Amino acid sequence: MLIQNHVFPIASDLITIGRQLDNDLVIGDSLVSRRHAQIEWQKGRFVLTDLGSTSGTLLNNKPVKNPVSLYSGDMILIANTPIMFVIDPQTHPLASNQTTEGF
């Protein structure tokens, strides 16, 4: 993932995102919930879930209401923080072949 021109590698099957310091990806913005969202490896694909955040999560400018599949190049917006989701085919070869069909 690319966050403000920094690479954040996905090193586990579950990445939590939020303001609280025990998240895997901590975003220091008061509009970000303590536990805002998560990205999880499920059934051979990455899935983004909003965890009931106050300000919501956007994927490609659409609100995330239910778990949704992620594809390389997708743009996630957590409060005011844009995140580009990029799949490295060397570390996740199956995910790099994902199509844009729904989860």
Side-chain angles (χ1 to χ4, degrees):
M1 291 188 298
L2 295 173
I3 303 150
Q4 299 172 341
N5 294 326
H6 292 83
V7 175
F8 181 86
I10 297 177
S12 69
D13 289 344
L14 178 66
I15 302 295
T16 58
I17 304 168
R19 194 177 71 239
Q20 196 164 296
L21 294 178
D22 65 346
N23 284 290
D24 300 300
L25 176 56
V26 177
I27 300 175
D29 180 337
S30 62
L31 295 176
V32 175
S33 295
R34 286 179 285 236
R35 291 262 187 224
H36 197 102
Q38 69 181 25
I39 296 174
E40 187 173 15
W41 180 251
Q42 293 181 6
K43 300 178 185 175
R45 62 184 61 226
F46 288 102
V47 176
L48 173 66
T49 304
D50 182 89
L51 300 175
S53 66
T54 303
S55 61
T57 301
L58 298 180
L59 177 63
N60 300 323
N61 295 318
K62 296 178 184 171
V64 174
K65 301 292 185 191
N66 297 301
V68 61
S69 294
L70 287 171
Y71 304 96
S72 198
D74 279 346
M75 289 299 301
I76 303 166
L77 188 63
I78 305 283
N80 294 314
T81 303
I83 301 169
M84 178 181 273
F85 185 78
V86 180
I87 297 171
D88 180 353
Q90 295 203 0
T91 56
H92 292 93
L94 295 176
S96 64
N97 293 328
Q98 289 180 192
T99 65
T100 56
E101 295 173 11
F103 175 64

